Amino acid sequence: LVINEIHADPDPELGDANGDGLASITDDEFLEIVNASGASVDLSDWTIWDTILSRHTFPPATILPDGCAILVFSGGDPVGDFGGALVQTASGGGLYLNDLGEIVSLRDPGGDVHSTYTYGIEADQNQSITRDPDVNGPDPLVPHSQAAGSGGRLYSPGTRVDGSQFWGCMISAQ
Ligand SMILES: [Ca+2]
Ligand SMILES: [Ca+2]
Ligand SMILES: [Ca+2]
């Protein structure tokens, strides 16, 4: 499970990552986690933590297919297909991603940390930070608009930086 993209500092005018028509420096925060494990993963009752507190508990029946992404937005009412990714909003009322630095971790129901990422002031650029290239890129994450293929976009919730789907995601037929 790869923490692939972190939107800690949404642009106050251009940062409408959740697609609800309102750019919010809080609600439009998100985490994008990609399952590159080779098998589907049951995330039910797993949690997302910031440096100090649990901010989200994945609800029952959260099954992340191999090769697909799950998005956790801080809030709002997400609108869009997001590349077929699973989409949730923070159960604790927000992700509270500090713009200047945070330790983000994904923990199983027993509290064991399965993925963690620590960022600093590089996140404070009115855009997300992302792996470059997606999934396999090294630390540190880079500002999204500087990632190869981003076309200058500020974020790519649920998709690769170029807007294409992850290999295991399916957009269901309308
Ligand atoms: Ca923030
Ligand atoms: Ca929004
Ligand atoms: Ca992305």
Side-chain angles (χ1 to χ4, degrees):
L1 295 165
V2 177
I3 296 173
N4 190 62
E5 183 177 0
I6 300 171
H7 198 207
D9 181 29
D11 185 278
E13 294 180 354
L14 303 174
D16 184 20
N18 65 12
D20 64 2
L22 184 68
S24 164
I25 61 170
T26 53
D27 285 352
D28 285 304
E29 291 181 347
F30 70 83
L31 296 173
E32 179 188 81
I33 297 167
V34 177
N35 178 7
S37 71
S40 62
V41 176
D42 184 355
L43 293 173
S44 305
D45 297 320
W46 288 42
T47 51
I48 286 175
W49 289 62
D50 68 0
T51 307
I52 53 172
L53 286 172
S54 175
R55 300 298 190 182
H56 180 62
T57 301
F58 294 96
T62 300
I63 310 296
L64 182 59
D66 180 43
C68 194
I70 188 164
L71 286 171
V72 180
F73 285 103
S74 191
D77 188 12
V79 175
D81 58 37
F82 301 105
L86 302 186
V87 179
Q88 299 181 356
T89 54
S91 63
L95 291 172
Y96 302 98
L97 296 172
N98 192 311
D99 298 354
L100 302 178
E102 198 84 81
I103 303 167
V104 176
S105 59
L106 175 66
R107 306 188 191 197
D108 69 20
D112 288 337
V113 175
H114 283 256
S115 302
T116 186
Y117 186 77
T118 302
Y119 65 83
I121 59 171
E122 70 276 13
D124 184 29
Q125 300 198 45
N126 290 35
Q127 59 185 282
S128 72
I129 52 174
T130 188
R131 292 202 180 277
D132 180 21
D134 278 293
V135 183
N136 296 315
D139 291 351
L141 277 62
V142 304
H144 194 282
S145 65
Q146 296 174 22
S150 74
R153 282 181 290 265
L154 301 179
Y155 42 76
S156 59
T159 68
R160 294 183 173 94
V161 293
D162 65 1
S164 64
Q165 280 183 279
F166 289 107
W167 65 98
C169 286
M170 307 282 225
I171 295 179
S172 55
Q174 298 295 310

